[in-house]
Amino acid sequence: MYEIFLTSSDSLAVVPVLIGPLQVLIAILPALILSVFGAIIAMFKPKAIVTLFKLMWRQKIALVLIVGGIAGSIYLVRTYVITGPDVSKEVAGVDWPMFRGGMARSGANGTSKAPTTGGINWSFKEVKTFYASPALVGNRVYISSADKGPMRDKGSIFCLDADNGAVVWEKRPSGYLATFSSPSIAGKYLVVGEGLHYTKTARVICMDINQKGKVLWSYQTSSHVESTPCIDFENKRVYV
């Protein structure tokens, strides 16, 4: 699992940080669950398993009520008890619209000091991995995620509030895979690649940040797209 940290000093930096052991645990958890379940089944004789299933079937209404009650309680707690910060009003600021700051890839914007001092303003924690570098436009942070495991392969594009780390919106285009590519921003356009190194088919996707990540177009490729796109806004061209 990665965390995104926003530091405070004369400049802002949004940095993905890996938490290694937890990342490994999440990756092997499905296999561990299957192993434990298989071991439990192996302890019972076939006749005992049949009897257990018959008992569960007779008590199916009670089981449905119990499961529904647990699921409802989790939903209520997550919705009304565990609440994040409110989204602040969108404002202009010093932009960092793509990987290493701009098409020159200089790693600096010439207006602030190196982001190596100051404290942590907030951190954003999700059960997802962030391989990408965030883009910062005004007080909005844009980053692609990767949720990759033995039985899952999906990603999302997050828009976060740079003031407090609140989720402004999250968008997962149809079938969007775990992604390494860092998004690039120009005007209302966000362009990002798709896939990790072993992805055989992927896309370049363009989204409208003014419409909460509405997909404007996508381009199918014959391999993964790990690089950061460059947007020539004046001539309306994307290079990747």
Side-chain angles (χ1 to χ4, degrees), residues 134-198:
L136 177 67
V137 177
N139 64 338
R140 295 293 183 259
V141 176
Y142 303 91
I143 187 167
S144 56
S145 69
D147 186 7
K148 177 71 172 177
M151 294 182 290
R152 66 188 184 280
D153 186 354
K154 61 182 181 179
S156 295
I157 305 297
F158 285 91
C159 174
L160 307 177
D161 188 330
D163 295 322
N164 54 32
V167 177
V168 181
W169 51 262
E170 177 189 357
K171 180 72 174 181
R172 182 173 187 259
S174 178
Y176 192 67
L177 303 176
T179 293
F180 183 92
S181 177
S182 301
S184 293
I185 313 292
K188 71 174 185 178
Y189 302 108
L190 181 154
V191 183
V192 66
E194 181 185 28
L196 301 178
H197 193 65
Y198 296 104

Side-chain angles (χ1 to χ4, degrees), residues 74-143:
I74 294 173
Y75 173 79
L76 290 174
V77 170
R78 292 185 62 182
T79 304
Y80 298 105
V81 179
I82 306 175
T83 57
D86 295 330
V87 175
S88 61
K89 183 179 179 180
E90 188 171 1
V91 297
V94 177
D95 294 342
W96 191 271
M98 65 176 67
F99 174 68
R100 293 190 60 79
M103 288 193 290
R105 302 293 198 260
S106 63
N109 58 20
T111 62
S112 57
K113 297 178 181 179
T116 54
T117 59
I120 296 173
N121 285 352
W122 54 261
S123 65
F124 176 68
K125 302 178 182 180
E126 284 284 337
V127 188
K128 298 177 176 69
T129 302
F130 294 98
Y131 293 126
S133 294
L136 177 67
V137 177
N139 64 338
R140 295 293 183 259
V141 176
Y142 303 91
I143 187 167

